[in-house]
Amino acid sequence: MLGHVSGKRSAVTCALKCGNACAQGVCNTSSNNYFRDVVSAEFSRRNMLGVSGAGVLALMFGGGAAANAGSATGLAPAAKVGQAGNGSKLKFTGIDGVANTVDDVVVPKGYNWKPVIRWGDPLFNDSAEFDPENQTPESQAGQFGYNNDYLDIIEIPGTNGKRAVLFANHEYTNENLMFPPTMDPSVVRRTAMAAHGLSVVELRRKGKGQPWEYVRGAKLNRRFLMDTEYELTGPAAGSKLLQTQADPTGRKVLGTQNNCAGGTTPWGTILSGEENFNQYFKVSNPSDEQRRYGLTNTNPSRGWHVEETRFDADLPEGKNEDNRFGWIVEVDPFDPTSTPRKHTALGRFKHEGANVTIAKSGHVVSYSGDDERFDYLYKFVSKGKYVEGDKKHNMTLLTEGDLFVASFTGNSPRNQIDGSGVLPSDGSFDGTGHWIQLTKDGKSLVPGMEIDQVLVYTRLAADKMGATKMDRPEDVEVNPHTGKVYMACTNNTKRTAAEVDEANPRANNKHGHIVEITETGDQASTEFTWNLLLVAGDPAVDESVYFAGYPADKVQPLSCPDNVAFDSAGNLWISTDGQPGTIQRNDALYRVTLEGPERGKVEQFMAVPIDGETCGPVIHDEDGMVYVAVQHPGEDGSWDKQRSLFPDYLPAGTPSGKGGLPRPSVIQMYKGKNGH
């Protein structure tokens, strides 16, 4: 992997998290135009015909887009943030960046931190105690899983803030850290399988602002494992493309894996995105469709196909099994007897997550990024409308609706977007956009593809319809105060100077950027304007770094934005994934002011330990609480040479069975004395 990980932190991450995606060929080989090609063609046409800039937009998108040209930084029709500055109730002095050799959680002065729950903590009364030297699939099935990613903590109504339910998904496993090298390979594989999936855990505390502890044996505690049954919903359910030898109905799937980000719905359920599922399947001669999803003829390193033949696509038992992963999963954390579902109406790709908002019309709108170089941003609009307080009805809203993919256009001349990332003459990377409709009323709008093909092979449908290639679109969130949409594009070191465009303006983009989208009308609109809020990096060494015009010498460097969240005042919070390899600082969590004279001000709140990733930020600023899921701490170590002791931090040399290895954990930060 040497030479392939400049935008990440280590070759271990690339191998275990995404199956060495950066070392593989680009999955998207479509001839879709890049932004700059489209806008350059239209500028040339404008010069020839004497058409105004607004006229060009009218030619490209119709009068609606032209009428909104030039308003890329305007607010959607929703209330502005009411407070001056960032208005946050979470007061802190930002910390400096932390060197990528530090094995510690660093928080601001006046704050403390402690774990909420760790990998291996027993969830049920009959669960085995965590014993890293004697792990089994059975013990792991009753314990909190590994590499927690998406996170939410929802207070249980009627408990005065003293009880809550925690949801976390478990993306993948670091076998090199987890298991003694003498452990039986079959036990390793089956235990690692049990460490994937999802967890629901009850919490309790003394009162608001106080740290939580998890409740072993609580009635809502639940593990979702690889033998948990999921129901397929939506137009593709029952399709021949989803039928397998074990499930000829094409409506029931066992398990979920490689879950990344997610979202919490207004009706109290959790959405979780299946991402790099391709790396779990053995296939000797991948089809064009499989190649588009990253399946290759390499032997999968985890070897799940040895334990369960459904993961061997070369066998009859494995036919179509890969098509049953790559969906958005919905879980009801308040009903431990409920059947989780995979929603086909939202399309199949490498979902970073899905985040739901309610449009003015009452329709549910969900945004989701496809986390791959040169892939796309999607939007789903429900057929039905949200009904306040009717959970049963609202849980049907993601089963029917229309799917869209984004097309962006820049507004600057081609020669001003040269790959350097330097701002064009108008002082902003911005433009307009259009949502291309892929499905309508349960039918395909893509020529030559039936509805089930569009939903199972959504990437190919978007290729055909001319969607815009992005630099790894990841988490997408809607600001609850303004209605604006924020998308994290983590990085793309494969983009060349010939491929840059105004929304992806840097060649060899190892630092990433944040796109700010303003829908024209409500969230169900088909037109939007956009601008780049942040062009990430270290302003001390990179002149292209741009933080919404805020003075570069007054911000903390930020690289590889991954997850985004909001506090109660509407400030953007960004967690990172890859800073150790780009700016030589541990990954971290930042607050960004979005409104007023300090728009673009970046303040670092915390940093995770060596090799770790900052996942699933939850900001409960009214409580003075912040939560993150710390993933793969010490990932470049090994069983015999661990690089981290997070979160227990016992003295070096302590035997593994007494805490001498890193444990991915959910941590909480609250007002205390031990900050820096």
Side-chain angles (χ1 to χ4, degrees), residues 301-474:
S301 61
R302 286 190 176 83
W304 285 18
H305 62 286
V306 177
E307 303 301 325
E308 295 190 17
T309 53
R310 63 179 171 131
F311 293 107
D312 189 338
D314 295 337
L315 299 176
E317 300 95 309
K319 182 180 179 181
N320 290 338
E321 187 69 23
D322 54 307
N323 290 345
R324 292 145 68 86
F325 296 87
W327 303 102
I328 288 295
V329 171
E330 184 176 18
V331 171
D332 185 352
F334 293 98
D335 183 359
T337 66
S338 60
T339 300
R341 296 177 295 168
K342 298 189 180 189
H343 293 304
T344 68
L346 276 68
R348 174 176 166 266
F349 42 92
K350 293 186 179 181
H351 286 275
E352 173 71 14
N355 288 283
V356 166
T357 189
I358 308 299
K360 277 189 174 181
S361 62
H363 294 95
V364 163
V365 178
S366 173
Y367 296 91
S368 191
D370 185 352
D371 184 9
E372 187 97 55
R373 297 163 298 163
F374 301 112
D375 261 295
Y376 310 128
L377 169 65
Y378 295 86
K379 178 170 80 172
F380 168 84
V381 180
S382 67
K383 178 180 179 180
K385 295 184 178 182
Y386 176 76
V387 178
E388 181 68 31
D390 191 344
K391 184 175 181 178
K392 182 177 180 181
H393 163 77
N394 294 333
M395 287 185 67
T396 69
L397 293 176
L398 300 181
T399 66
E400 293 183 278
D402 302 333
L403 186 62
F404 302 79
V405 66
S407 173
F408 295 76
T409 303
N411 63 11
S412 298
R414 179 182 183 122
N415 62 3
Q416 294 186 13
I417 310 298
D418 60 5
S420 67
V422 175
L423 288 172
S425 59
D426 66 359
S428 180
F429 295 113
D430 58 0
T432 60
H434 175 71
W435 291 104
I436 302 169
Q437 193 160 1
L438 303 178
T439 68
K440 182 176 177 59
D441 297 330
K443 296 182 180 179
S444 168
L445 297 182
V446 182
M449 297 183 77
E450 299 297 327
I451 184 63
D452 60 339
Q453 294 174 309
V454 171
L455 297 177
V456 174
Y457 302 130
T458 308
R459 282 183 167 182
L460 284 83
D463 293 345
K464 281 193 171 190
M465 298 297 279
T468 300
K469 299 177 177 180
M470 300 297 292
D471 285 352
R472 287 188 60 203
E474 297 213 32

Side-chain angles (χ1 to χ4, degrees), residues 101-385:
T101 55
V102 174
D103 184 30
D104 196 6
V105 177
V106 181
V107 296
K109 184 177 181 180
Y111 286 82
N112 205 343
W113 75 273
K114 67 185 298 186
V116 180
I117 192 166
R118 307 163 297 177
W119 163 52
D121 281 342
L123 299 188
F124 311 106
N125 289 328
D126 60 353
S127 297
E129 298 295 331
F130 182 58
D131 182 355
E133 294 182 337
N134 295 285
Q135 299 176 70
T136 67
E138 294 76 20
S139 64
Q140 177 64 82
Q143 298 165 343
F144 192 66
Y146 201 78
N147 273 345
N148 30 227
D149 197 306
Y150 180 70
L151 169 68
D152 205 356
I153 294 173
I154 307 171
E155 290 188 8
I156 298 174
T159 64
N160 197 28
K162 295 182 179 181
R163 303 280 291 198
V165 62
L166 176 151
F167 173 91
N169 57 27
H170 304 289
E171 186 175 5
Y172 70 100
T173 45
N174 289 71
E175 285 85 345
N176 56 308
L177 306 179
M178 297 170 67
F179 306 114
T182 56
M183 194 168 176
D184 178 81
S186 178
V187 176
V188 168
R189 289 190 290 265
R190 290 184 290 115
T191 305
M193 291 175 73
H196 284 65
L198 320 171
S199 293
V200 173
V201 189
E202 278 195 53
L203 308 178
R204 65 186 174 197
R205 64 179 175 180
K206 294 179 180 179
K208 290 183 179 294
Q210 298 298 309
W212 297 97
E213 61 181 22
Y214 87 93
V215 183
R216 181 174 180 174
K219 65 179 182 180
L220 295 182
N221 290 3
R222 188 176 181 185
R223 280 300 318 277
F224 297 76
L225 304 166
M226 286 309 298
D227 60 359
T228 300
E229 184 177 293
Y230 291 73
E231 175 193 359
L232 285 162
T233 77
S239 164
K240 290 183 179 179
L241 297 175
L242 296 173
Q243 295 172 1
T244 64
Q245 188 178 90
D247 173 33
T249 70
R251 295 181 179 274
K252 298 178 181 179
V253 180
L254 295 183
T256 185
Q257 31 100 323
N258 212 269
N259 283 236
C260 200
T264 299
T265 69
W267 49 94
T269 60
I270 303 289
L271 305 180
S272 182
E274 297 180 320
E275 194 185 35
N276 294 301
F277 62 89
N278 55 295
Q279 62 176 307
Y280 295 82
F281 290 90
K282 177 180 177 292
V283 54
S284 297
N285 187 25
S287 65
D288 290 342
E289 292 83 1
Q290 288 174 319
R291 289 191 187 94
R292 183 65 180 87
Y293 281 83
L295 279 82
T296 68
N297 61 359
T298 57
N299 201 31
S301 61
R302 286 190 176 83
W304 285 18
H305 62 286
V306 177
E307 303 301 325
E308 295 190 17
T309 53
R310 63 179 171 131
F311 293 107
D312 189 338
D314 295 337
L315 299 176
E317 300 95 309
K319 182 180 179 181
N320 290 338
E321 187 69 23
D322 54 307
N323 290 345
R324 292 145 68 86
F325 296 87
W327 303 102
I328 288 295
V329 171
E330 184 176 18
V331 171
D332 185 352
F334 293 98
D335 183 359
T337 66
S338 60
T339 300
R341 296 177 295 168
K342 298 189 180 189
H343 293 304
T344 68
L346 276 68
R348 174 176 166 266
F349 42 92
K350 293 186 179 181
H351 286 275
E352 173 71 14
N355 288 283
V356 166
T357 189
I358 308 299
K360 277 189 174 181
S361 62
H363 294 95
V364 163
V365 178
S366 173
Y367 296 91
S368 191
D370 185 352
D371 184 9
E372 187 97 55
R373 297 163 298 163
F374 301 112
D375 261 295
Y376 310 128
L377 169 65
Y378 295 86
K379 178 170 80 172
F380 168 84
V381 180
S382 67
K383 178 180 179 180
K385 295 184 178 182

